[in-house]
Amino acid sequence: MLHLEKYTFGVGDRFAHQAGAQLRAFIQLADEGIDVTPVWNKSNREHNFVGSEPQSVYDAAKAATEKLGWDKAWHVDADHIQLKTVGPFLPCSDFFTIDVADSIGKAAPAEEVTGFVDRHPELVGTLKLDGLSAPLEVTRDDVQRVAEQYLLAVKEAGQIYRHIADAKGADNVAAEVSMDETDTPQTPPELLIILAALSDEKIPVQTIAPKFTGRFNKGVDYVGDLDQFKREFNDDVAVIAHAVKTYGLPDSLKLSVHSGSDKFSLYPIIRECLQRTGAGLHLKTAGTTWLEEIIGLAEAGGDGLKLAKEIYAYALEHVEEFCAPYASVIDIDQSKLPDAETVNAWDGPRLASAIRHIQDNEHFNAHMRQLLHVSFKVAAKHGSRYTDMLKANEEIVGNEVTKNIYDRHLKPLFVG
Protein backbone atom coordinates (compact mmCIF):
# COMPACT_ATOMS: atom_id res chain seq x y z
CA MET A 1 0.00 0.00 0.00
CA LEU A 2 0.94 3.64 -0.36
CA HIS A 3 1.56 4.74 3.24
CA LEU A 4 -0.37 7.87 4.21
CA GLU A 5 1.07 10.59 6.37
CA LYS A 6 -0.26 11.11 9.89
CA TYR A 7 -2.25 14.27 9.13
CA THR A 8 -3.93 14.64 5.76
CA PHE A 9 -6.34 17.35 4.74
CA GLY A 10 -8.67 17.20 1.75
CA VAL A 11 -9.19 20.32 -0.34
CA GLY A 12 -11.61 20.68 -3.21
CA ASP A 13 -11.05 22.97 -6.16
CA ARG A 14 -14.17 22.99 -8.31
CA PHE A 15 -12.65 24.92 -11.22
CA ALA A 16 -8.97 23.93 -10.84
CA HIS A 17 -7.72 27.51 -10.37
CA GLN A 18 -6.86 27.62 -6.64
CA ALA A 19 -4.36 24.81 -6.08
CA GLY A 20 -1.55 27.30 -5.52
CA ALA A 21 -3.59 29.41 -3.11
CA GLN A 22 -4.59 26.27 -1.24
CA LEU A 23 -1.03 25.01 -1.07
CA ARG A 24 0.19 28.29 0.39
CA ALA A 25 -1.86 27.54 3.52
CA PHE A 26 0.03 24.25 4.00
CA ILE A 27 3.34 26.03 3.40
CA GLN A 28 2.49 28.55 6.11
CA LEU A 29 1.69 25.72 8.52
CA ALA A 30 4.89 23.86 7.61
CA ASP A 31 6.82 27.06 8.35
CA GLU A 32 5.44 26.77 11.88
CA GLY A 33 6.84 23.24 12.11
CA ILE A 34 3.60 21.34 11.54
CA ASP A 35 3.34 19.06 8.53
CA VAL A 36 -0.14 18.40 7.14
CA THR A 37 -0.38 16.76 3.75
CA PRO A 38 -2.73 18.27 1.15
CA VAL A 39 -5.08 15.90 -0.64
CA TRP A 40 -6.87 17.40 -3.63
CA ASN A 41 -10.31 15.80 -3.96
CA LYS A 42 -13.14 15.95 -6.45
CA SER A 43 -15.98 13.50 -6.93
CA ASN A 44 -17.41 12.05 -10.10
CA ARG A 45 -20.63 13.96 -9.42
CA GLU A 46 -18.75 17.25 -9.21
CA HIS A 47 -16.83 16.51 -12.42
CA ASN A 48 -20.14 15.84 -14.16
CA PHE A 49 -21.69 19.06 -12.85
CA VAL A 50 -18.74 21.19 -13.92
CA GLY A 51 -17.81 19.32 -17.10
CA SER A 52 -14.24 18.56 -16.00
CA GLU A 53 -12.12 15.40 -16.03
CA PRO A 54 -10.24 13.77 -13.13
CA GLN A 55 -6.89 14.46 -14.80
CA SER A 56 -7.45 18.20 -14.33
CA VAL A 57 -7.19 17.83 -10.54
CA TYR A 58 -3.82 16.11 -10.77
CA ASP A 59 -2.53 18.59 -13.34
CA ALA A 60 -3.48 21.61 -11.22
CA ALA A 61 -1.97 20.12 -8.07
CA LYS A 62 1.26 19.14 -9.81
CA ALA A 63 1.64 22.60 -11.33
CA ALA A 64 1.12 24.23 -7.92
CA THR A 65 3.61 22.01 -6.10
CA GLU A 66 6.25 22.64 -8.76
CA LYS A 67 5.68 26.39 -8.91
CA LEU A 68 5.79 26.82 -5.13
CA GLY A 69 8.59 24.33 -4.54
CA TRP A 70 6.58 22.00 -2.32
CA ASP A 71 8.87 19.02 -1.78
CA LYS A 72 6.70 17.22 0.76
CA ALA A 73 3.98 14.65 0.08
CA TRP A 74 0.69 15.41 -1.65
CA HIS A 75 -2.13 13.25 -2.98
CA VAL A 76 -5.09 13.30 -5.34
CA ASP A 77 -8.29 11.70 -4.07
CA ALA A 78 -10.78 9.91 -6.31
CA ASP A 79 -13.60 11.07 -4.08
CA HIS A 80 -16.64 8.88 -3.41
CA ILE A 81 -15.97 6.48 -6.24
CA GLN A 82 -17.71 3.19 -6.98
CA LEU A 83 -16.82 0.40 -9.38
CA LYS A 84 -18.81 1.99 -12.18
CA THR A 85 -17.17 5.41 -11.80
CA VAL A 86 -13.56 4.69 -10.81
CA GLY A 87 -12.14 4.15 -14.31
CA PRO A 88 -11.21 7.76 -15.26
CA PHE A 89 -9.61 8.30 -11.84
CA LEU A 90 -7.18 5.39 -12.05
CA PRO A 91 -4.36 7.10 -14.02
CA CYS A 92 -4.32 10.30 -11.96
CA SER A 93 -5.27 9.42 -8.36
CA ASP A 94 -3.41 7.68 -5.58
CA PHE A 95 -5.96 8.16 -2.78
CA PHE A 96 -9.29 6.40 -3.32
CA THR A 97 -12.37 7.14 -1.23
CA ILE A 98 -14.41 3.98 -1.72
CA ASP A 99 -18.07 4.78 -1.19
CA VAL A 100 -20.27 1.82 -0.28
CA ALA A 101 -23.15 3.69 1.34
CA ASP A 102 -25.64 2.33 -1.19
CA SER A 103 -24.99 -1.21 0.01
CA ILE A 104 -25.43 -0.50 3.70
CA GLY A 105 -28.55 -2.22 4.98
CA LYS A 106 -28.66 -4.76 2.16
CA ALA A 107 -28.29 -8.22 3.59
CA ALA A 108 -25.34 -10.42 2.73
CA PRO A 109 -26.01 -14.16 2.27
CA ALA A 110 -27.03 -15.71 5.59
CA GLU A 111 -24.18 -18.21 5.58
CA GLU A 112 -21.61 -15.41 5.19
CA VAL A 113 -23.10 -13.51 8.11
CA THR A 114 -23.07 -16.63 10.27
CA GLY A 115 -19.50 -17.36 9.21
CA PHE A 116 -18.40 -13.87 10.21
CA VAL A 117 -20.05 -14.10 13.63
CA ASP A 118 -18.51 -17.52 14.25
CA ARG A 119 -15.04 -16.27 13.30
CA HIS A 120 -15.16 -13.39 15.76
CA PRO A 121 -16.09 -14.54 19.27
CA GLU A 122 -13.72 -11.85 20.59
CA LEU A 123 -16.29 -9.22 19.60
CA VAL A 124 -18.82 -10.54 22.12
CA GLY A 125 -18.84 -9.52 25.76
CA THR A 126 -17.71 -6.55 27.84
CA LEU A 127 -14.90 -4.99 25.84
CA LYS A 128 -12.57 -2.85 27.92
CA LEU A 129 -10.46 -1.08 25.34
CA ASP A 130 -7.81 1.49 26.24
CA GLY A 131 -9.10 5.03 25.95
CA LEU A 132 -12.82 4.28 25.94
CA SER A 133 -15.22 6.45 27.92
CA ALA A 134 -16.91 3.22 29.08
CA PRO A 135 -16.62 -0.48 28.18
CA LEU A 136 -18.46 -1.67 25.09
CA GLU A 137 -21.24 -4.13 25.78
CA VAL A 138 -21.66 -6.34 22.73
CA THR A 139 -23.84 -9.43 22.38
CA ARG A 140 -23.73 -12.10 19.69
CA ASP A 141 -27.04 -10.73 18.43
CA ASP A 142 -25.37 -7.30 18.09
CA VAL A 143 -22.59 -8.75 15.97
CA GLN A 144 -25.17 -10.60 13.87
CA ARG A 145 -27.24 -7.43 13.36
CA VAL A 146 -24.25 -5.29 12.38
CA ALA A 147 -22.94 -7.98 10.03
CA GLU A 148 -26.34 -8.19 8.36
CA GLN A 149 -26.30 -4.43 7.89
CA TYR A 150 -22.69 -3.86 6.78
CA LEU A 151 -21.11 -7.08 5.53
CA LEU A 152 -22.33 -6.67 1.95
CA ALA A 153 -20.98 -3.11 1.90
CA VAL A 154 -17.60 -4.35 3.12
CA LYS A 155 -17.59 -7.06 0.44
CA GLU A 156 -18.28 -4.38 -2.16
CA ALA A 157 -15.42 -2.27 -0.79
CA GLY A 158 -13.14 -5.27 -1.20
CA GLN A 159 -14.19 -5.74 -4.80
CA ILE A 160 -13.55 -2.07 -5.61
CA TYR A 161 -10.22 -2.04 -3.79
CA ARG A 162 -8.93 -5.11 -5.63
CA HIS A 163 -9.98 -3.63 -8.94
CA ILE A 164 -7.98 -0.48 -8.16
CA ALA A 165 -4.97 -2.38 -6.80
CA ASP A 166 -4.91 -4.68 -9.85
CA ALA A 167 -4.95 -1.66 -12.15
CA LYS A 168 -2.36 0.49 -10.34
CA GLY A 169 -0.42 -1.89 -8.14
CA ALA A 170 -1.15 -2.02 -4.42
CA ASP A 171 1.96 0.03 -3.61
CA ASN A 172 0.43 2.98 -5.46
CA VAL A 173 -2.93 2.99 -3.65
CA ALA A 174 -4.10 4.52 -0.38
CA ALA A 175 -7.59 3.33 0.45
CA GLU A 176 -10.33 5.01 2.41
CA VAL A 177 -13.71 3.40 3.06
CA SER A 178 -16.59 5.84 3.32
CA MET A 179 -19.78 4.99 5.16
CA ASP A 180 -20.87 8.51 6.02
CA GLU A 181 -23.49 9.10 3.33
CA THR A 182 -26.16 7.05 5.03
CA ASP A 183 -29.06 7.81 7.35
CA THR A 184 -27.86 6.26 10.60
CA PRO A 185 -24.59 7.02 12.44
CA GLN A 186 -22.31 4.14 13.29
CA THR A 187 -21.66 3.63 16.99
CA PRO A 188 -18.17 2.73 18.29
CA PRO A 189 -19.14 -0.96 18.70
CA GLU A 190 -20.44 -0.99 15.14
CA LEU A 191 -17.21 0.60 13.92
CA LEU A 192 -15.20 -2.15 15.61
CA ILE A 193 -17.27 -4.85 13.93
CA ILE A 194 -16.92 -3.11 10.56
CA LEU A 195 -13.14 -2.91 11.00
CA ALA A 196 -13.01 -6.63 11.77
CA ALA A 197 -14.92 -7.25 8.55
CA LEU A 198 -12.57 -4.99 6.56
CA SER A 199 -9.64 -6.98 7.92
CA ASP A 200 -11.30 -10.24 6.85
CA GLU A 201 -11.73 -8.74 3.39
CA LYS A 202 -7.98 -7.95 3.35
CA ILE A 203 -8.44 -4.27 2.55
CA PRO A 204 -5.43 -2.28 3.80
CA VAL A 205 -7.71 0.58 4.74
CA GLN A 206 -5.87 3.65 6.01
CA THR A 207 -8.77 5.97 6.65
CA ILE A 208 -12.38 5.23 7.47
CA ALA A 209 -15.17 7.76 7.29
CA PRO A 210 -18.05 6.85 9.59
CA LYS A 211 -21.19 8.86 9.92
CA PHE A 212 -21.07 10.74 13.20
CA THR A 213 -24.03 11.82 15.27
CA GLY A 214 -25.29 15.33 14.51
CA ARG A 215 -25.58 17.43 11.37
CA PHE A 216 -22.54 17.91 9.12
CA ASN A 217 -24.08 20.40 6.76
CA LYS A 218 -22.11 21.73 3.82
CA GLY A 219 -20.03 24.81 4.53
CA VAL A 220 -21.44 25.66 7.97
CA ASP A 221 -20.78 24.68 11.57
CA TYR A 222 -21.76 21.42 13.24
CA VAL A 223 -25.25 21.15 14.66
CA GLY A 224 -25.58 18.70 17.53
CA ASP A 225 -24.54 17.73 21.03
CA LEU A 226 -20.85 18.58 21.44
CA ASP A 227 -20.43 16.35 24.48
CA GLN A 228 -21.87 13.42 22.55
CA PHE A 229 -19.58 14.08 19.60
CA LYS A 230 -16.59 14.26 21.96
CA ARG A 231 -17.40 10.85 23.45
CA GLU A 232 -18.06 9.37 20.04
CA PHE A 233 -14.91 10.73 18.39
CA ASN A 234 -12.65 9.72 21.29
CA ASP A 235 -14.21 6.26 21.46
CA ASP A 236 -13.81 5.81 17.71
CA VAL A 237 -10.11 6.68 18.02
CA ALA A 238 -9.79 4.07 20.78
CA VAL A 239 -11.60 1.49 18.65
CA ILE A 240 -9.27 2.13 15.71
CA ALA A 241 -6.17 1.74 17.89
CA HIS A 242 -7.54 -1.57 19.19
CA ALA A 243 -8.46 -2.80 15.70
CA VAL A 244 -4.97 -2.05 14.39
CA LYS A 245 -3.44 -4.23 17.09
CA THR A 246 -6.07 -6.97 17.00
CA TYR A 247 -6.72 -7.37 13.28
CA GLY A 248 -3.43 -6.38 11.69
CA LEU A 249 -4.83 -3.33 9.95
CA PRO A 250 -2.31 -0.66 8.83
CA ASP A 251 -0.82 1.31 11.69
CA SER A 252 -1.59 4.46 9.68
CA LEU A 253 -5.35 3.79 9.95
CA LYS A 254 -7.17 6.91 11.13
CA LEU A 255 -10.56 8.56 11.23
CA SER A 256 -11.74 10.59 8.27
CA VAL A 257 -14.18 13.42 8.89
CA HIS A 258 -16.24 14.17 5.81
CA SER A 259 -17.97 17.51 5.27
CA GLY A 260 -15.34 18.67 7.72
CA SER A 261 -15.09 22.22 6.46
CA ASP A 262 -16.29 24.97 8.79
CA LYS A 263 -17.03 22.63 11.72
CA PHE A 264 -15.46 25.22 13.98
CA SER A 265 -17.07 24.00 17.20
CA LEU A 266 -15.57 20.52 16.67
CA TYR A 267 -11.98 21.53 15.98
CA PRO A 268 -10.97 22.03 19.64
CA ILE A 269 -12.44 18.61 20.49
CA ILE A 270 -10.59 16.94 17.63
CA ARG A 271 -7.33 18.77 18.35
CA GLU A 272 -7.36 17.78 22.04
CA CYS A 273 -7.95 14.14 21.14
CA LEU A 274 -5.14 14.08 18.58
CA GLN A 275 -2.70 15.73 20.98
CA ARG A 276 -3.64 13.39 23.83
CA THR A 277 -3.65 10.13 21.90
CA GLY A 278 -1.17 10.74 19.11
CA ALA A 279 -3.78 9.64 16.58
CA GLY A 280 -3.78 10.74 12.98
CA LEU A 281 -6.59 12.45 11.10
CA HIS A 282 -7.95 12.95 7.63
CA LEU A 283 -10.36 15.86 7.36
CA LYS A 284 -12.10 16.55 4.08
CA THR A 285 -13.31 19.88 2.82
CA ALA A 286 -14.61 20.60 -0.67
CA GLY A 287 -16.90 23.45 -1.66
CA THR A 288 -15.50 26.10 0.64
CA THR A 289 -12.86 27.06 -1.93
CA TRP A 290 -15.58 27.82 -4.45
CA LEU A 291 -17.26 30.00 -1.84
CA GLU A 292 -14.00 31.86 -1.25
CA GLU A 293 -13.84 32.52 -4.98
CA ILE A 294 -17.27 34.16 -4.84
CA ILE A 295 -16.19 36.16 -1.78
CA GLY A 296 -13.04 37.29 -3.57
CA LEU A 297 -14.98 38.35 -6.67
CA ALA A 298 -17.40 40.30 -4.48
CA GLU A 299 -14.53 42.06 -2.73
CA ALA A 300 -12.92 42.83 -6.08
CA GLY A 301 -15.93 44.94 -7.08
CA GLY A 302 -16.68 45.88 -10.66
CA ASP A 303 -17.34 43.00 -13.01
CA GLY A 304 -16.41 40.47 -10.33
CA LEU A 305 -19.10 41.78 -7.98
CA LYS A 306 -21.60 41.87 -10.85
CA LEU A 307 -20.94 38.22 -11.67
CA ALA A 308 -21.19 37.16 -8.01
CA LYS A 309 -24.61 38.83 -7.80
CA GLU A 310 -25.75 37.17 -11.02
CA ILE A 311 -24.73 33.78 -9.69
CA TYR A 312 -26.66 34.30 -6.48
CA ALA A 313 -29.77 35.50 -8.36
CA TYR A 314 -29.71 32.44 -10.61
CA ALA A 315 -29.20 30.11 -7.63
CA LEU A 316 -32.16 31.75 -5.91
CA GLU A 317 -34.36 30.97 -8.90
CA HIS A 318 -33.25 27.31 -8.89
CA VAL A 319 -33.18 26.52 -5.18
CA GLU A 320 -35.00 23.19 -5.44
CA GLU A 321 -32.89 21.97 -8.36
CA PHE A 322 -29.57 22.77 -6.76
CA CYS A 323 -30.48 21.62 -3.27
CA ALA A 324 -32.01 18.25 -4.21
CA PRO A 325 -28.71 16.31 -4.63
CA TYR A 326 -27.51 17.61 -1.25
CA ALA A 327 -30.75 17.47 0.71
CA SER A 328 -29.29 15.33 3.49
CA VAL A 329 -26.40 17.73 4.17
CA ILE A 330 -27.99 21.19 4.02
CA ASP A 331 -30.61 23.00 6.08
CA ILE A 332 -31.81 26.11 4.26
CA ASP A 333 -34.69 28.27 5.42
CA GLN A 334 -35.76 29.92 2.19
CA SER A 335 -37.50 32.70 4.10
CA LYS A 336 -34.03 33.82 5.25
CA LEU A 337 -32.61 34.11 1.75
CA PRO A 338 -32.55 37.79 0.70
CA ASP A 339 -34.14 38.47 -2.65
CA ALA A 340 -32.03 39.37 -5.67
CA GLU A 341 -33.08 43.01 -5.59
CA THR A 342 -31.84 43.40 -2.04
CA VAL A 343 -28.50 41.75 -2.84
CA ASN A 344 -28.07 43.86 -5.98
CA ALA A 345 -28.06 46.95 -3.77
CA TRP A 346 -25.15 45.67 -1.67
CA ASP A 347 -21.56 46.70 -2.22
CA GLY A 348 -18.80 44.11 -2.41
CA PRO A 349 -17.79 43.99 1.25
CA ARG A 350 -21.45 43.67 2.28
CA LEU A 351 -22.00 40.68 0.00
CA ALA A 352 -18.72 39.11 1.05
CA SER A 353 -19.62 39.44 4.74
CA ALA A 354 -22.92 37.66 4.15
CA ILE A 355 -21.11 34.64 2.70
CA ARG A 356 -17.80 34.56 4.61
CA HIS A 357 -18.13 32.19 7.56
CA ILE A 358 -17.41 34.49 10.46
CA GLN A 359 -20.19 33.65 12.84
CA ASP A 360 -20.15 36.78 14.96
CA ASN A 361 -20.44 39.07 11.94
CA GLU A 362 -23.91 40.58 12.01
CA HIS A 363 -24.24 40.19 8.23
CA PHE A 364 -23.28 36.49 8.03
CA ASN A 365 -26.10 34.44 6.49
CA ALA A 366 -25.69 30.67 6.79
CA HIS A 367 -28.62 30.07 4.44
CA MET A 368 -27.03 32.11 1.63
CA ARG A 369 -23.74 30.34 2.22
CA GLN A 370 -25.29 26.88 1.98
CA LEU A 371 -27.23 27.75 -1.15
CA LEU A 372 -24.15 29.08 -2.90
CA HIS A 373 -22.16 26.07 -1.69
CA VAL A 374 -24.36 23.70 -3.69
CA SER A 375 -24.82 26.03 -6.67
CA PHE A 376 -21.33 25.84 -8.14
CA LYS A 377 -22.61 24.56 -11.46
CA VAL A 378 -24.06 28.04 -12.05
CA ALA A 379 -20.48 29.24 -12.51
CA ALA A 380 -19.85 26.33 -14.87
CA LYS A 381 -22.71 27.62 -17.04
CA HIS A 382 -20.78 30.86 -17.44
CA GLY A 383 -17.79 28.93 -18.76
CA SER A 384 -14.78 31.08 -19.56
CA ARG A 385 -16.47 34.21 -18.26
CA TYR A 386 -16.22 32.84 -14.73
CA THR A 387 -12.71 31.42 -15.02
CA ASP A 388 -11.46 34.55 -16.80
CA MET A 389 -12.79 36.57 -13.88
CA LEU A 390 -10.85 34.33 -11.48
CA LYS A 391 -7.68 34.98 -13.47
CA ALA A 392 -8.29 38.72 -13.59
CA ASN A 393 -8.71 38.82 -9.81
CA GLU A 394 -6.23 36.08 -8.96
CA GLU A 395 -4.54 37.86 -6.05
CA ILE A 396 -7.62 38.91 -4.09
CA VAL A 397 -9.41 35.59 -4.71
CA GLY A 398 -6.31 33.59 -3.83
CA ASN A 399 -5.83 35.50 -0.59
CA GLU A 400 -9.37 34.61 0.46
CA VAL A 401 -8.74 30.93 -0.33
CA THR A 402 -5.48 30.82 1.61
CA LYS A 403 -6.87 32.67 4.64
CA ASN A 404 -9.89 30.39 4.80
CA ILE A 405 -7.83 27.19 4.88
CA TYR A 406 -5.04 28.47 7.11
CA ASP A 407 -6.81 30.77 9.58
CA ARG A 408 -10.16 29.06 9.91
CA HIS A 409 -9.20 25.41 9.42
CA LEU A 410 -5.57 24.35 9.74
CA LYS A 411 -4.62 26.59 12.68
CA PRO A 412 -7.63 25.69 14.86
CA LEU A 413 -7.17 21.99 14.11
CA PHE A 414 -3.43 21.65 14.53
CA VAL A 415 -2.17 24.74 16.37
CA GLY A 416 -4.99 25.99 18.58
Side-chain angles (χ1 to χ4, degrees), residues 122-156:
E122 79 285 352
L123 290 170
V124 178
T126 301
L127 309 181
K128 299 178 180 179
L129 314 184
D130 291 342
L132 283 178
S133 58
L136 307 180
E137 300 291 345
V138 184
T139 67
R140 182 181 173 89
D141 286 345
D142 291 332
V143 179
Q144 172 97 14
R145 172 185 55 79
V146 175
E148 288 172 348
Q149 187 174 8
Y150 290 100
L151 197 57
L152 192 68
V154 170
K155 295 279 185 182
E156 181 187 358

Side-chain angles (χ1 to χ4, degrees), residues 82 99-108 146-157 159-160 178-179 181-182:
Q82 300 173 331
D99 187 339
V100 292
D102 289 347
S103 295
I104 294 173
K106 297 179 181 177
V146 175
E148 288 172 348
Q149 187 174 8
Y150 290 100
L151 197 57
L152 192 68
V154 170
K155 295 279 185 182
E156 181 187 358
Q159 182 185 13
I160 298 169
S178 167
M179 296 190 173
E181 293 197 354
T182 186

Side-chain angles (χ1 to χ4, degrees), residues 350-386:
R350 175 66 179 84
L351 177 55
S353 66
I355 307 168
R356 187 183 290 115
H357 197 179
I358 297 178
Q359 291 166 312
D360 59 1
N361 186 306
E362 62 177 328
H363 297 307
F364 173 62
N365 187 320
H367 307 277
M368 282 187 73
R369 183 174 172 83
Q370 288 179 88
L371 174 59
L372 284 167
H373 193 294
V374 301
S375 300
F376 56 91
K377 62 182 176 180
V378 182
K381 291 179 182 291
H382 287 280
S384 61
R385 182 186 172 204
Y386 180 74

